[in-house]
């Protein structure tokens, strides 16, 4: 899918939201490693990213050509500072073809400026356009910023998984399961 929008941030700077393409592969891998090292709220540890630049380029090419999936990047002053995307649960199975998953991460230096909300809204719009009926996500229960964002965009909690993640330190991280009906 393709997407393009310019937004004004809370500090007055402009931010370009657009679908990531092959040329963004290196920048997206870099921001993945950066953001996944800044928080313990994400599924993957920074050193678990096994993708090469070529892998990432072909992943992004696939997303751009897809009519049902997208990776949207946020650029400030030409630098990628975050991304969000939607992915089908399993497009080969008719009974769950109406469901997509949402994911988002932003460089900590750019939190609180409105990028998270703008990326979330952009992904919801793309999910609607793609024809999904439900957008879903899992969020660590103490990630209050993300939960507040999701609730304010209409996501509702439908369950919890107390042993969702087992972090490095041997601690359980409870996951809140959320969903947004799109029709
Ligand atoms: C969660 C995240 C995406 C929010 O992005 P952001 O750009 O900082 O969010 P925004 O500035 O657009 O703020 C949107 C809303 O989030 C909530 N929020 C943001 N920061 C918050 C904070 N420090 N405390 C409480 N709520 C907060 C508020 O509801 C805010 O709305 P408001 O501006 O009307 O008050 C960002 O913090 C992030 O990338 N975190 C690390 C990765 C992560 O946790 N991803 C989610 C995994 S499920």
């Amino acid at each position: 899918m393709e997407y393009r929008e310019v937004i004004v941030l809370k500090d007055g700077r402009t931010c370009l939201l657009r679908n990531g393409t092959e040329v963004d592969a290196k920048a997206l891998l870099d921001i993945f490693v950066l953001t996944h090292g800044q928080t313990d709220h994400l599924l993957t540890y920074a050193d678990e990213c096994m993708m090469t630049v070529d892998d990432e380029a072909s992943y992004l090419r696939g997303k751009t050509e897809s009519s049902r999936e997208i990776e949207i990047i946020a650029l400030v002053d030409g630098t990628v500072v975050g991304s969000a995307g939607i992915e089908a649960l399993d497009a080969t199975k008719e009974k769950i073809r109406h469901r997509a998953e949402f994911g988002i991460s932003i460089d900590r230096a750019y939190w609180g400026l409105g990028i998270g909300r703008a990326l979330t809204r952009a992904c919801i719009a793309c999910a609607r356009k793609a024809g999904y009926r439900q957008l879903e996500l899992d969020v660590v229960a103490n990630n209050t910023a993300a939960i507040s964002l999701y609730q304010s965009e209409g996501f509702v909690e439908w369950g919890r998984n107390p042993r969702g993640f087992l972090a490095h330190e041997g601690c359980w991280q409870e996951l809140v399961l959320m969903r947004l009906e799109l029709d």
Side-chain angles (χ1 to χ4, degrees):
M1 296 182 78
E2 296 191 18
Y3 189 89
R4 191 174 188 89
E5 180 187 5
V6 176
I7 59 164
V8 178
L9 301 180
K10 288 180 183 174
D11 65 1
R13 279 183 288 179
T14 56
C15 172
L16 170 64
L17 307 185
R18 65 165 173 80
N19 57 295
T21 68
E22 286 171 82
V23 298
D24 305 305
K26 171 78 167 62
L28 259 168
L29 282 180
D30 289 347
I31 194 77
F32 180 95
V33 172
L34 178 71
T35 57
H36 285 66
Q38 291 176 331
T39 171
D40 203 20
H41 287 148
L42 295 165
L43 165 66
T44 314
Y45 283 118
D47 62 5
E48 289 178 326
C49 177
M50 298 302 163
M51 286 174 91
T52 65
V53 174
D54 284 347
D55 294 338
E56 183 74 26
S58 101
Y59 170 83
L60 291 169
R61 191 181 325 120
K63 295 277 176 184
T64 303
E65 289 168 1
S66 165
S67 60
R68 302 197 83 212
E69 296 192 347
I70 190 165
E71 189 69 27
I72 302 177
I73 60 175
L75 296 112
V76 177
D77 300 326
T79 301
V80 177
V81 300
S83 70
I86 55 167
E87 199 166 289
L89 248 66
D90 185 342
T92 67
K93 295 190 173 62
E94 186 180 344
K95 283 187 176 177
I96 54 171
R97 214 172 281 154
H98 63 288
R99 296 167 58 188
E101 284 181 313
F102 170 71
I104 183 168
S105 61
I106 296 163
D107 177 357
R108 183 183 280 268
Y110 292 83
W111 289 1
L113 296 174
I115 299 173
R117 188 178 298 286
L119 278 172
T120 303
R121 286 185 176 170
C123 285
I124 292 171
C126 288
R128 279 209 171 87
K129 189 174 168 198
Y132 291 106
R133 311 278 298 271
Q134 181 164 288
L135 194 55
E136 305 178 13
L137 60 88
D138 298 349
V139 55
V140 175
N142 66 1
N143 192 351
T144 48
I147 291 174
S148 157
L149 166 62
Y150 301 147
Q151 284 173 337
S152 65
E153 291 299 328
F155 282 87
V156 292
E157 176 179 336
W158 63 271
R160 287 191 176 227
N161 186 345
R163 293 188 171 201
F165 290 168
L166 180 56
H168 266 160
E169 311 74 31
C171 303
W172 298 114
Q173 289 182 307
E174 183 172 50
L175 291 179
V176 179
L177 315 177
M178 303 187 85
R179 67 187 192 97
L180 173 69
E181 291 185 8
L182 298 170
D183 60 357

